[in-house]
C-alpha cells in the first residue's frame, strides 16, 4: 500500500509539474505581428489585440476576419499581437477589440496584462472575444470584468470555440471555419453599430 501511495504521489507531482510548465509556455507573450486593414485614414480607428496561441491560430483567424468585416465598412483597422500592440497603444483608438484565449478557465495573461496596464479604455467602446476549446464561461466573465474595471464600455462579448460546436446547424463544416465566419458576421454588425 505504501508503494502505491508513493507511485500515486509521484504521478500527481509529475502531472502538476508538466501542467505548470505547459501553462507557462502557452502563456508567454507571442511574436510581434500586425496588419493594417481598410480605409487608412478613417474617422474611426480600431485596434484588435490578441496573443497567438502556440497550438492553434484560431485567435489570429478570428481577429483578422472580424477586422476585415470592420474594414469593409470603411473603418481603419489594425490587428496586432500584444507584442506589436504595445507600439500602437498611444495612437488614437475609437474601438478596441480584445481576443483572449482561455487557459485554466481565465483569459490569457498577455491580453489581460495589456488591458490592465497599457490600454486606455476609459469611456471607449470595447468588444470582447473569448476563445477556448469549449469551456469559456469563467474566462469570458473575467475578461468582461477586466474591461469594466478599466472603465471600458462593453459593446458586446461572445465566446467562440475550437472543439465545441459554434453553430449546431453547421456540424458538417469545420468548427474553425464556422468560428471565422461567425466573427465576420459579428464584425459587420459591430461596424454598423459603431458607425452610427
Amino acid at each position: 500500500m505504501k508503494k502505491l501511495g508513493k507511485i500515486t504521489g509521484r504521478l500527481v507531482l509529475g502531472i502538476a509539474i508538466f501542467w505548470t510548465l505547459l501553462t507557462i509556455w502557452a502563456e508567454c507573450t507571442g511574436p510581434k505581428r500586425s496588419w493594417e486593414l481598410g480605409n487608412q485614414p478613417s474617422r474611426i480607428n480600431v485596434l484588435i489585440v490578441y496573443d497567438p496561441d502556440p497550438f492553434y491560430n484560431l485567435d489570429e483567424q478570428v481577429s483578422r476576419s472580424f477586422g476585415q468585416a470592420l474594414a469593409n465598412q470603411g473603418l481603419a483597422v489594425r490587428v496586432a499581437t500584444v507584442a506589436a500592440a504595445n507600439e500602437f497603444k498611444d495612437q488614437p483608438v475609437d474601438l478596441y477589440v480584445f481576443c483572449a484565449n482561455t487557459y485554466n478557465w481565465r483569459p490569457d495573461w498577455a491580453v489581460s496584462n495589456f488591458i490592465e496596464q497599457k490600454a486606455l479604455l476609459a469611456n471607449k467602446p470595447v468588444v470582447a472575444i473569448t476563445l477556448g476549446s469549449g469551456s469559456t464561461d469563467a474566462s469570458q466573465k473575467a475578461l468582461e470584468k477586466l474591461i469594466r474595471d478599466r472603465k471600458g464600455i462593453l459593446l458586446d462579448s461572445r465566446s467562440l470555440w475550437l472543439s465545441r460546436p459554434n453553430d449546431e446547424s453547421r456540424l458538417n463544416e469545420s468548427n474553425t471555419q464556422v468560428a471565422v465566419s461567425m466573427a465576420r458576421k459579428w464584425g459587420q454588425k459591430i461596424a454598423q453599430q459603431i458607425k452610427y
Side-chain angles (χ1 to χ4, degrees):
M1 202 63 168
K2 272 186 173 182
K3 191 174 183 178
L4 181 61
K6 274 186 174 182
I7 292 170
T8 303
R10 287 181 181 164
L11 183 63
V12 169
L13 180 62
I15 290 170
I17 290 170
F18 173 75
W19 190 259
T20 301
L21 292 174
L22 184 64
T23 298
I24 291 169
W25 178 67
E27 292 276 16
C28 286
T29 302
K32 189 185 293 189
R33 292 193 300 249
S34 68
W35 301 267
E36 287 185 4
L37 308 172
N39 186 11
Q40 305 287 337
S42 169
R43 67 178 185 85
I44 300 174
N45 296 299
V46 182
L47 179 60
I48 301 176
V49 180
Y50 76 99
D51 192 55
D53 184 307
F55 306 106
Y56 305 100
N57 77 336
L58 181 61
D59 43 18
E60 180 182 318
Q61 292 179 62
V62 163
S63 295
R64 290 184 69 170
S65 181
F66 193 98
Q68 191 60 58
L70 295 172
N72 289 347
Q73 297 296 317
L75 283 65
V77 180
R78 185 180 308 272
V79 178
T81 62
V82 169
N86 284 319
E87 296 176 359
F88 311 119
K89 66 181 173 36
D90 297 325
Q91 294 180 8
V93 176
D94 302 301
L95 169 66
Y96 284 94
V97 179
F98 296 109
C99 182
N101 290 298
T102 297
Y103 300 117
N104 299 322
W105 302 277
R106 287 292 176 265
D108 63 71
W109 297 342
V111 171
S112 296
N113 289 339
F114 184 85
I115 292 169
E116 289 176 332
Q117 299 169 9
K118 308 280 171 97
L120 305 172
L121 299 188
N123 301 314
K124 297 277 184 167
V126 181
V127 173
I129 305 170
T130 307
L131 299 180
S133 61
S135 179
T136 54
D137 290 343
S139 181
Q140 183 176 2
K141 287 179 181 141
L143 181 60
E144 291 169 357
K145 183 178 183 321
L146 275 173
I147 291 164
R148 287 189 179 110
D149 286 351
R150 298 281 292 138
K151 309 294 186 226
I153 301 166
L154 190 62
L155 289 182
D156 203 351
S157 175
R158 297 183 191 178
S159 288
L160 295 170
W161 303 295
L162 185 65
S163 304
R164 183 173 155 191
N166 284 300
D167 183 343
E168 297 285 342
S169 69
R170 298 171 67 180
L171 295 177
N172 59 333
E173 297 176 58
S174 152
N175 206 42
T176 299
Q177 290 174 338
V178 172
V180 170
S181 167
M182 290 174 75
R184 185 170 35 260
K185 287 182 182 170
W186 184 16
Q188 291 166 350
K189 179 184 168 200
I190 293 296
Q192 293 305 314
Q193 192 175 338
I194 201 83
K195 281 171 69 175
Y196 302 105

